[in-house]
Amino acid sequence: MRKIADQWLRDILLVLYQHRNVTRAEIIADTGLNPASVSHALRFLLGQGTVLKVGDLASDGGRKREVFNLNAEAAYFVAVDLEGQRIRFALMNSVGDVRYRWEEDLERGEPLDVNKLFVGVAKLLRNLDARQHSRVVAAGISYPGLLDAQGRLTAVNLAWRKFPLLAELRAKARLHKMSGLPIFLEPDRHSSVFAERWLGCAKGHQNGLLLFSERGIGIGVFLDGKPVVGWRNMAGEIGHITIDPDSEEQCGCGKRGCLETVASSSNIIRQYVAESPQGPRDASSLRITDIFEKARQKDAIALAVVERAAKAIGMALSHAISLLNPSIVILAGDLASGEDLLLPLVEKEIGRHTLADLSDGLQIKASGLGLDMRLKGAAALAFRQSLADPALLKKMCSPALARHKAAAV
Ligand SMILES: [Zn+2]
């Protein structure tokens, strides 16, 4: 029997993860492997139950084309999103769907206790029977802030400053008897980009910008298929681009006139309250979705603050587009819920401030992955890193379910 190269398995599993239902011809085209290698590896994966044949497509010439997908229950991945206000946990199956979820609010201003991470993971794993438990391959964590070369994380929202995250994860994993679970980490903007590239609207794009807005605004950048990191891991701090040098509005960073002062959701709400003489005096009673709803109902003040934010975002993006020449720009986070209002204005502004050759055909979209974006990205990270590790790849391709094995032989 010919040997099956690990790289064939990696390439094929990756195509199946990204595209779900795929024909043999599509696998050959996407991986660039030769047809004999694909058939050989597919036969092995079907035999192990890692991949399932899910049906046949009739093609024009009358020939049947087999359709394959990953056996969703062949492997599980733990995904953790250290969002800042809360931690989200999910157990994902091998096709990136959430099987179980758990979330925990964090005390504002209190440093996050790493024990909470393992307690949350244990809560997810409690739902699994022994067989499913044995199929948990790895965990992925999406983190905010900056991780330095010594493995220390500085993240304002988690109240961590040079917190020895890697050392703490190792120590607490031993304490919670989870040392056997490999953990992979990735900055949140990169996990968001991976989620969009693998499962969202950036599929097939090699160059893109993902603008996400929550408390602040940042962009994830990928160029020629690779995430852009920067010297200090700080590429993409677009929220602190000066959008109005004459502005009196002070940003959280200490400067004046930053994009965030106009376009972050909390600042959109703040401007609405400040400009509404008879309106609510308390910004905390309003959510960004309320402002969008008022704008849809033609409330003049809501329309004006939303328009101001959209113009600022479009202006900031036009600079990034001129520098980086992306084929897609995605709006994600809480501003995505106002896509019907924001996207046309952002697009118009980009058109005004960039060369036609840069903006013609440029796709501008809102993310469809919602709140699960980083969880999906963290699971995709665990999947990707597990493929790269020979021992974990072997685990992913070990016999999954006896009945699938029997059916495929
Ligand atoms: Zn700023």
Side-chain angles (χ1 to χ4, degrees):
M1 186 170 148
R2 276 176 62 211
K3 197 171 169 343
I4 297 169
D6 278 1
Q7 196 55 45
W8 304 349
L9 300 175
R10 286 186 188 111
D11 292 349
I12 293 172
L13 293 175
L14 192 56
V15 170
L16 286 161
Y17 190 89
Q18 289 179 302
H19 302 288
R20 294 220 167 193
N21 295 322
V22 235
T23 65
R24 189 183 299 263
E26 286 165 341
I27 294 174
I28 293 167
D30 270 32
T31 58
L33 295 169
N34 73 51
S37 304
V38 168
S39 293
H40 196 39
L42 266 182
R43 209 175 305 127
F44 168 74
L45 291 168
L46 287 164
Q48 298 298 86
T50 314
V51 170
L52 302 175
K53 188 185 143 186
V54 286
D56 294 296
L57 282 177
S59 60
D60 290 346
R63 278 190 60 197
K64 289 247 168 83
R65 290 180 300 153
E66 297 163 296
V67 181
F68 303 96
N69 68 15
L70 283 175
N71 176 354
E73 310 309 316
Y76 298 102
F77 298 90
V78 172
V80 181
D81 174 13
L82 296 178
E83 187 214 270
Q85 289 170 330
R86 60 187 65 82
I87 324 177
R88 295 178 200 278
F89 300 88
L91 185 82
M92 311 287 231
N93 62 18
S94 63
V95 294
D97 290 336
V98 176
R99 287 294 309 270
Y100 302 106
R101 67 169 76 235
W102 169 256
E103 60 179 64
E104 183 159 347
D105 287 335
L106 297 178
E107 302 281 333
R108 219 187 156 97
E110 285 289 308
L112 169 64
D113 176 359
V114 172
N115 283 303
K116 281 193 174 168
L117 289 182
F118 290 95
V119 171
V121 173
K123 282 191 170 132
L124 291 178
L125 299 182
R126 210 174 286 159
N127 295 296
L128 304 180
D129 63 27
R131 186 197 63 77
Q132 292 169 320
H133 216 284
S134 71
R135 312 294 309 179
V136 177
V137 179
I141 299 180
S142 165
Y143 64 84
L146 286 178
L147 190 69
D148 67 17
Q150 286 77 44
R152 298 173 304 184
L153 185 69
T154 298
V156 179
N157 294 346
L158 302 171
W160 282 350
R161 179 153 180 81
K162 293 191 185 295
F163 177 79
L165 179 60
L166 296 193
E168 275 288 300
L169 284 173
R170 271 194 295 274
K172 296 296 190 299
R174 274 198 299 278
L175 196 69
H176 292 266
K177 299 192 170 50
M178 285 193 205
S179 297
L181 181 70
I183 298 175
F184 301 104
L185 295 124
E186 192 168 61
D188 51 11
R189 66 189 67 175
H190 296 169
S191 34
S192 309
V193 163
F194 266 106
E196 288 296 341
R197 291 197 62 210
W198 281 27
L199 305 164
C201 52
K203 268 186 192 174
H205 287 267
Q206 294 297 309
N207 298 279
L209 305 177
L210 172 73
L211 182 135
F212 54 90
S213 55
E214 278 164 350
R215 289 193 203 175
I217 296 177
I219 50 171
V221 181
F222 60 100
L223 285 184
D224 301 326
K226 295 193 185 71
V228 173
V229 177
W231 173 46
R232 284 197 165 137
N233 273 325
M234 287 185 73
E237 286 289 348
I238 202 169
H240 303 289
I241 277 186
T242 304
I243 210 73
D244 180 0
D246 301 322
S247 170
E248 290 299 308
E249 286 163 315
Q250 186 155 23
C251 180
C253 73
K255 291 198 299 134
R256 290 179 196 280
C258 292
L259 173 64
E260 277 185 22
T261 62
V262 180
S264 74
S265 47
S266 57
N267 277 310
I268 294 176
I269 296 169
R270 177 188 58 75
Q271 293 169 84
Y272 178 81
V273 170
E275 286 166 35
S276 303
Q278 271 95 48
R281 305 311 309 153
D282 179 15
S284 66
S285 65
L286 285 170
R287 290 166 170 265
I288 188 65
T289 45
D290 299 327
I291 308 294
F292 290 145
E293 203 41 52
K294 287 176 195 295
R296 288 183 192 107
Q297 289 161 11
K298 311 288 178 220
D299 176 312
I301 298 169
L303 275 171
V305 292
V306 167
E307 185 173 341
R308 188 175 177 220
K311 280 188 169 173
I313 290 170
M315 166 79 90
L317 280 173
S318 71
H319 298 323
I321 290 162
S322 299
L323 281 172
L324 303 168
N325 188 202
S327 56
I328 186 165
V329 174
I330 304 164
L331 208 63
D334 48 17
L335 294 185
S337 63
E339 64 171 297
D340 52 325
L341 301 160
L342 294 170
L343 285 191
L345 294 165
V346 167
E347 195 167 346
K348 195 170 153 199
E349 204 65 11
I350 288 172
R352 280 183 62 201
H353 298 292
T354 52
L355 299 175
D357 283 343
L358 289 164
S359 54
D360 283 354
L362 170 68
Q363 294 184 30
I364 302 169
K365 293 185 171 177
S367 169
L369 297 178
L371 283 176
D372 283 345
M373 181 171 66
R374 284 187 303 258
L375 279 177
K376 286 182 180 275
L381 164 72
F383 185 92
R384 193 168 77 245
Q385 296 290 358
S386 300
L387 286 185
D389 180 305
L392 298 179
L393 176 66
K394 203 168 171 195
K395 185 169 182 179
M396 289 167 76
C397 300
S398 62
L401 299 166
R403 62 192 170 88
H404 288 129
K405 194 181 179 194
V409 169

